[in-house]
Amino acid sequence: MKSIWTEEIEIRRRRELPGDMEAQAVVIGAGMAGILTAYYLKQAGIRAVVLEADRIGSGQTKNTTAKITSQHNLIYAGLIRTFGRRMAEHYAAANEAAIGEYERLIREKGIDCDFVRCPAYLYSRSGAELLKRETEAASSLGIKASFETECELPFPVAGVIRFGDQARFHPLKFLAEMSEGLEIYEQTRVLKVEGRRVETARGTVTAEHVVFAAHYPFINVPGYYFARMHQERSYVIGLEGAERPEGMYLGIDPGGLSFRTCGDYLLLGGGSHRTGVNPGRRTAAEMPSKQGAVTGCRYGMLRSRAGELYPGCREAFRWSAQDCMTLDGLPYIGRFSGRKPNWYVATGFGKWGMTSSMVSARILTAMISGRDCPEADIFSPQRHFTARAAKGLVVHGAYTVKGLAKHLLPSGNKEIIPNCPHMGCRLERNPEEESYDCPCHGSRFDREGHLMDGPAQTDCRKRE
Ligand code: FES
């Protein structure tokens, strides 16, 4: 199931790490966050080497819906309440600046990547109160936000928040250009990091600074990110023959959908669930598809909604995404741990990977090059622990205990031992995507047990 982005472009291949080397910085992961970080480090005169387990942009960057926005669901009223106005301003300013920085780079380099400035909306069909409160909060932080009752969606709404001057683009076309001129080694999986030494099967890179930008940090201790994040899957279908709104939309009600135009297609998204928690029974809801007739309840739900909203439309693409969700809903960008002053991390972007990648690159480059970055405080992995985070920790812990408790149960799988190689939780079969997914921290494996998504580092063990 290829995303619409991978249909249109293939990024130039790079060679594997040729052997041991030294650099000033090593960046683990050649997705949007890693590539942008390496780019800004180079601009700052710092030699950075990028190590990628697979191909450039082959992780979550290829699965995004590529909205570049400071509108991250309902967030600003809560941020002001929990972290105070100054830190909430930092969050808003960093994300608004990220949009402007994408535009600056694209114009300066003449990158042809379908970049369009457009508004972003949150909509509700059930009530306007939360939207009004959020509009007030966002406006007070300097964002161009307004509450409205009319919009382009094909159903009535109780209201929308409109953020002006947001953007969308083609992430892989952008990444292809941005990765030129950087020192990147593909098919080079990092196996171990000790101090300044980053070990791979192809050689060791020794560097003063180590940046973990590979979606989910695979080091368990220190940092303990496995206890502070879970992963969620969500689903997208690309529709031909559907109305295409100018704005980008996200519903805040349970089961709310995402809408975003991409050329001749409408991208309709939704169906989020915790990775490894069985999405449920298949449904018969189907539409004609260029990519065959795979159905499951999440894709089926999207097809069914598409058929109701846009009669006669046709599914041309479908794909899914995997997102790291933090305890308090904010990314972890900054020092990996107080015990590792030269390690840095960029993870936990939630559903907002493009904007957060740019924020990460700018913050981490400032830290590594010794520049001040006042906005960094709200993103710090060492920020204060909130009541929401405490609640998230309890829920996350319960899933982990359950997953670990089930690992001793007998399994009907004849090929692989379905215990996750990360920390041993029992994998659950995901009928939606014919994969085995871990409910504890979200690692995923194909039917043969090959690793698809971390934090696990290895394939499942095979039965003797
Ligand atoms: Fe941690 Fe599976 S991802 S136990």
Side-chain angles (χ1 to χ4, degrees):
M1 289 181 271
K2 288 171 83 176
S3 74
I4 197 167
W5 320 117
T6 51
E7 285 285 319
E8 292 186 347
I9 183 166
E10 185 163 356
I11 298 177
R12 183 170 70 79
R13 284 185 183 272
R14 308 305 208 276
R15 63 180 177 146
E16 300 162 356
L17 184 71
D20 296 349
M21 63 171 65
E22 293 197 0
Q24 287 172 281
V26 58
V27 177
I28 303 169
M32 190 63 79
I35 292 294
L36 285 174
T37 303
Y39 172 80
Y40 286 112
L41 286 174
K42 188 176 179 193
Q43 296 292 301
I46 294 168
R47 182 187 165 209
V49 165
V50 183
L51 302 177
E52 166 57 47
D54 192 357
R55 301 279 320 279
I56 295 169
S58 63
Q60 297 314 312
T61 299
K62 74 177 188 313
N63 297 330
T64 174
T65 51
K67 297 174 175 174
I68 307 175
T69 176
S70 61
Q71 186 183 70
H72 298 171
N73 212 321
L74 296 175
I75 187 169
Y76 291 106
L79 277 187
I80 295 171
R81 200 169 51 244
T82 311
F83 288 96
R85 179 162 296 281
R86 191 180 57 84
M87 284 175 79
E89 277 169 358
H90 288 167
Y91 189 88
N95 281 287
E96 283 284 304
I99 305 169
E101 187 60 11
Y102 271 114
E103 183 168 32
R104 187 189 71 77
L105 284 174
I106 289 164
R107 298 219 185 290
E108 189 178 286
K109 295 175 170 296
I111 301 175
D112 180 7
C113 62
D114 312 328
F115 180 88
V116 178
R117 282 276 192 174
C118 60
Y121 296 86
L122 293 177
Y123 74 87
S124 171
R125 303 185 71 172
S126 60
E129 247 349 276
L130 287 173
L131 295 173
K132 286 180 180 166
R133 209 178 306 157
E134 181 73 357
T135 306
E136 206 175 298
S139 300
S140 77
L141 298 172
I143 293 173
K144 284 185 205 160
S146 55
F147 175 79
E148 299 174 5
T149 52
E150 301 284 322
C151 72
E152 306 159 282
L153 295 174
F155 47 75
V157 294
V160 295
I161 306 176
R162 180 185 193 276
F163 278 22
D165 272 345
Q166 310 294 293
R168 59 180 192 248
F169 73 153
H170 191 305
L172 296 189
K173 287 182 182 173
F174 175 79
L175 205 61
E177 292 295 322
M178 292 303 296
S179 58
E180 290 299 331
L182 300 180
E183 190 172 349
I184 302 166
Y185 299 102
E186 294 184 330
Q187 305 295 338
T188 304
R189 179 179 292 281
V190 173
L191 305 173
K192 196 166 154 192
V193 184
E194 270 185 356
R196 299 170 63 226
R197 287 169 52 82
V198 178
E199 293 180 19
T200 79
R202 318 210 177 271
T204 297
V205 181
T206 306
E208 188 60 39
H209 306 282
V210 181
V211 177
F212 293 79
H215 186 63
Y216 198 122
F218 56 87
I219 302 267
N220 290 335
V221 182
Y224 301 95
Y225 291 95
F226 69 88
R228 303 159 68 190
M229 290 198 297
H230 72 277
Q231 298 196 71
E232 284 190 3
R233 296 201 65 70
S234 55
Y235 302 83
V236 184
I237 57 176
L239 299 169
E240 284 173 329
E243 281 164 43
R244 287 165 291 135
E246 186 217 346
M248 307 178 289
Y249 289 81
L250 179 68
I252 64 163
D253 305 321
L257 298 172
S258 161
F259 300 78
R260 183 259 208 234
T261 292
C262 176
D264 293 336
Y265 302 97
L266 173 71
L267 307 186
L268 182 68
S272 285
H273 63 89
R274 184 182 176 108
T275 303
V277 175
N278 193 327
R281 279 187 312 116
R282 293 172 180 236
T283 71
E286 269 194 70
M287 291 171 55
S289 165
K290 272 186 189 170
Q291 295 181 316
V294 175
T295 56
C297 67
R298 262 40 183 212
Y299 287 121
M301 178 278 292
L302 289 174
R303 288 177 192 128
S304 174
R305 298 290 290 131
E308 288 161 28
L309 297 172
Y310 308 104
C313 68
R314 179 167 174 274
E315 181 186 308
F317 299 93
R318 66 164 176 274
W319 73 90
S320 55
Q322 170 116 325
D323 299 305
C324 289
M325 316 302 287
T326 64
L327 296 175
D328 60 10
L330 303 178
Y332 298 131
I333 302 168
R335 288 209 194 281
F336 192 96
S337 154
R339 286 162 51 191
K340 298 282 181 186
N342 65 329
W343 288 12
Y344 306 84
V345 68
T347 189
F349 296 168
K351 314 283 180 188
W352 316 108
M354 295 299 96
T355 330
S356 300
S357 290
M358 180 62 85
V359 170
S360 301
R362 301 183 82 201
I363 288 176
L364 298 185
T365 302
M367 292 177 81
I368 291 170
S369 50
R371 280 189 286 111
D372 202 24
C373 185
E375 283 104 40
D377 53 3
I378 184 78
F379 300 96
S380 168
Q382 290 80 43
R383 61 181 171 262
H384 78 254
F385 199 65
T386 64
R388 177 179 166 181
K391 199 170 150 195
L393 191 63
V394 171
V395 174
H396 186 44
Y399 274 105
T400 305
V401 169
K402 197 169 151 196
L404 286 170
K406 282 166 79 176
H407 87 286
L408 292 173
L409 295 178
S411 155
N413 190 303
K414 295 190 175 58
E415 307 294 324
I416 60 168
I417 297 172
N419 293 336
C420 181
H422 179 228
M423 292 175 78
C425 289
R426 172 55 58 95
L427 302 173
E428 299 284 342
R429 182 170 167 272
N430 177 353
E432 197 84 32
E433 302 178 278
E434 301 297 342
S435 60
Y436 287 90
D437 301 351
C438 181
C440 291
H441 316 111
S443 293
R444 299 181 63 238
F445 306 85
D446 68 14
R447 271 186 294 188
E448 282 78 45
H450 298 128
L451 178 66
M452 296 164 72
D453 288 303
Q457 284 286 80
T458 60
D459 298 341
C460 289
R461 281 194 299 133
K462 293 255 169 38
R463 291 196 190 281
E464 297 293 319

